[in-house]
Amino acid sequence: MKLYYSPGACSLAPNIMMHEAGIPFELERVDNKSKTTKSGENFWDVNPKGVVPVLKLDDGQTLTEAVAILLYLADKKPEAGLLPKHGSMEYYRTLELLNYITTEIHKQFTPLFKEATPADYRAIAKKNVETAFAHVDKHLAGKEFLTGNKLSAADIYLFVVSNWGRFQDIDVAQWPNLKEFQARMRARPQVQEAMKAEGLIKAAA
């Protein structure tokens, strides 16, 4: 499989997921401005939506949208335990969390990264992110991860999008549970390997 990514974007979530699950894959970097890949592909041909992540499967099919890819990868390697058992209440709680993260955090950040976003709407989007961060901070109280003491796809996604706060002058220190969660996630060897692969942290000499 091949993952099309842009460093630090939401594509980092499936990158981490595959490291956590032990799924072999290759990376293809995408230049978001030129919409070309490192190997010279026209990214519009890869994904007409023009955004990462894109997962190219071994049979040539492509899958887009971060949550869909995370669910696919979890089902690809169920023994990794990154999703609870299908049909269980815990499974639906995890889907609930994934949906909240994608709509109330990820998509609220989107206008903040666009230069053309008006200042008044930028303030609204930032406030929405802060409200969502406060919610997940309460949810994390007394827990190591979102669903308790076991890592799930939702934790991986939250880690990636919550890191974007530092680019928008949102200090997560005001939410101690979220800050501690980020530190726990960042300390995981698989997370570090994924971040090194994207050039987000330096590899050991």
Side-chain angles (χ1 to χ4, degrees):
M1 289 189 288
K2 179 190 289 187
L3 176 67
Y4 291 83
Y5 79 101
S6 180
C10 59
S11 47
L12 178 59
N15 186 348
I16 293 172
M17 188 88 160
M18 286 189 277
H19 277 85
E20 289 282 355
I23 298 173
F25 70 105
E26 57 181 298
L27 283 170
E28 179 77 15
R29 182 168 177 163
V30 176
D31 185 314
N32 277 326
K33 290 185 178 179
S34 67
K35 297 302 179 183
T36 57
T37 74
K38 188 175 181 180
S39 66
E41 291 179 90
N42 181 344
F43 188 58
W44 291 111
D45 293 336
V46 178
N47 183 11
K49 301 173 192 174
V51 294
V52 295
V54 177
L55 185 65
K56 187 172 184 178
L57 309 182
D58 293 337
D59 64 2
Q61 293 189 69
T62 56
L63 189 62
T64 65
E65 303 300 328
V67 171
I69 293 173
L70 292 174
L71 294 174
Y72 173 83
L73 294 171
D75 286 341
K76 188 80 174 174
K77 202 71 176 290
E79 60 268 32
L82 294 169
L83 274 181
K85 182 181 178 181
H86 277 243
S88 67
M89 196 62 208
E90 290 80 9
Y91 175 79
Y92 295 110
R93 289 299 183 197
T94 304
L95 296 189
E96 180 182 34
L97 288 161
L98 284 166
N99 190 68
Y100 184 81
I101 294 164
T102 197
T103 58
E104 303 304 322
I105 303 179
H106 184 169
K107 285 306 175 185
Q108 297 302 319
F109 264 113
T110 299
L112 297 177
F113 286 112
K114 295 182 182 295
E115 293 181 3
T117 301
D120 55 347
Y121 186 73
R122 189 177 295 274
I124 293 169
K126 185 176 178 180
K127 180 63 177 177
N128 289 341
V129 169
E130 292 173 339
T131 298
F133 278 179
H135 173 74
V136 294
D137 182 73
K138 290 179 181 178
H139 188 84
L140 284 164
K143 295 195 289 285
E144 188 174 356
F145 299 110
L146 286 167
T147 56
N149 296 313
K150 185 171 177 53
L151 179 75
S152 76
D155 297 294
I156 293 170
Y157 195 17
L158 175 62
F159 171 72
V160 172
V161 298
S162 67
N163 280 331
W164 297 344
R166 68 183 189 275
F167 300 115
Q168 300 299 333
D169 195 30
I170 300 174
D171 186 1
V172 298
Q174 60 192 298
W175 303 289
N177 297 317
L178 179 58
K179 183 179 179 180
E180 290 173 10
F181 165 82
Q182 284 187 334
R184 280 194 297 274
M185 290 294 295
R186 193 173 289 110
R188 295 180 70 85
Q190 298 88 343
V191 172
Q192 292 182 17
E193 285 303 310
M195 294 180 76
K196 288 173 187 175
E198 296 195 8
L200 300 171
I201 58 176
K202 291 183 178 180

